[in-house]
Amino acid sequence: MKLDYLVFLGSARDSTPPRPARLGLRVARRVEALLGEKADVRLVDPLDYDLAGVFKPHFAYARGAAPRALDDLAREIAAADGYVMVSPEYNHSLSPALAHLLNHFGASLFAGKPSAIVTYSAGQWGGVRAAVAMRAFLSEMGCLPVSAMIHVPKAQEVLGDDGEFLASVDADRWTGYFERSLAQLRWWAEAARRQRDEHGEDFPPPFARDPSQRNAP
Ligand SMILES: Cc1cc2nc3c(=O)[nH]c(=O)nc-3n(C[C@H](O)[C@H](O)[C@H](O)COP(=O)(O)O)c2cc1C
């Protein structure tokens, strides 16, 4: 079964210090390459979307009136079988660029499909605190994260700009580490795809009328 994945990159940063900027691109490229061996994968870069100014989510526009780029991405999210969220740690939480991009889309687009959490840092912690925040965030988005996570401390010493492991690290061990999470993601994505193929119509509908629909009586 050939599946479709979206790899979201959580950095739109253009600043030094801290150096290097957009360290996350190399991490996202490695994930894209590994997942792409068995699936169709697209890297979603926040820089490709004009999200400055006031915040208006995709679902708040009248049908056909949303910016083309948001419409296209909404369709891709709905069509994807799973997601990888690649985030740096900013102030012990997930990246605002990733949260802002994802906040443009309703949870129903992600619902019933799994995600994998990938974090990184320039320092020694690998973004683990961001990862903890991402579990809650992604669960609320409807794309439940698989249990294994990928954390890459000192990512600039692990991966080159091109997304290849540097000669100074044990590429096989790193690949095995990445693959543990990606294998879980593939497993759940396949299972969810079968379930959607069989029972797609039965997926619990979103709270389309009013947020109060989620209130206890
Ligand atoms: C606003 C800001 C906050 C940061 N907060 C943390 C942090 O809480 N923990 C951490 O390990 N690194 C932190 N860093 C360092 C980042 O891990 C490092 O800059 C990394 O390269 C950011 O990813 P990016 O280059 O892809 O944007 C922070 C960097 C910035 C710019």
Side-chain angles (χ1 to χ4, degrees):
M1 185 186 286
K2 192 144 197 220
L3 300 184
D4 275 315
Y5 296 94
L6 293 178
V7 176
F8 284 83
L9 168 60
S11 177
R13 186 169 67 89
D14 178 12
S15 80
T16 47
R19 197 176 291 276
R22 301 243 300 165
L23 181 56
L25 189 51
R26 62 191 74 193
V27 180
R29 283 183 172 142
R30 180 78 324 241
V31 171
E32 184 188 20
L34 288 172
L35 257 188
E37 289 171 4
K38 299 177 187 161
D40 291 321
V41 183
R42 190 173 88 80
L43 207 164
V44 180
D45 186 332
L47 286 184
D48 293 337
Y49 299 87
D50 181 12
L51 305 177
V54 294
F55 170 50
K56 182 166 176 173
H58 175 260
F59 53 79
Y61 287 90
R63 186 175 283 273
R68 174 79 186 272
L70 285 187
D71 256 347
D72 289 347
L73 185 52
R75 255 191 305 280
E76 285 184 280
I77 293 170
D81 296 296
Y83 314 94
V84 182
M85 306 297 184
V86 181
S87 181
E89 180 172 294
Y90 283 179
N91 296 316
H92 290 197
S93 198
L94 76 154
S95 114
L98 180 63
H100 188 49
L101 178 58
L102 295 179
N103 283 341
H104 279 79
F105 301 98
S108 61
L109 299 183
F110 297 87
K113 293 171 285 186
S115 61
I117 294 172
V118 180
T119 62
Y120 60 90
S121 65
Q124 65 180 327
W125 305 113
V128 287
R129 292 153 300 207
V132 171
M134 288 168 77
R135 275 201 190 285
F137 189 104
L138 296 173
S139 299
E140 177 58 13
M141 293 299 297
C143 50
L144 303 186
V146 298
S147 69
M149 298 191 274
I150 298 169
H151 312 295
V152 188
K154 299 183 186 169
Q156 69 282 13
E157 295 177 15
V158 176
L159 288 156
D161 263 343
D162 55 0
E164 296 295 331
F165 289 114
L166 294 172
S168 51
V169 304
D170 185 334
D172 287 344
R173 277 192 67 191
W174 271 104
T175 301
Y177 173 63
F178 272 58
E179 276 297 333
R180 183 162 174 267
S181 299
L182 299 181
Q184 286 192 359
L185 180 69
R186 289 189 199 99
W187 194 96
W188 281 110
E190 269 196 43
R193 167 77 168 269
R194 288 206 179 88
Q195 185 74 355
R196 286 198 312 286
D197 286 347
E198 204 174 328
H199 304 288
E201 310 302 312
D202 301 340
F203 197 84
F207 297 110
R209 182 165 48 82
D210 190 284
S212 68
Q213 283 179 290
R214 64 181 72 203
N215 293 353

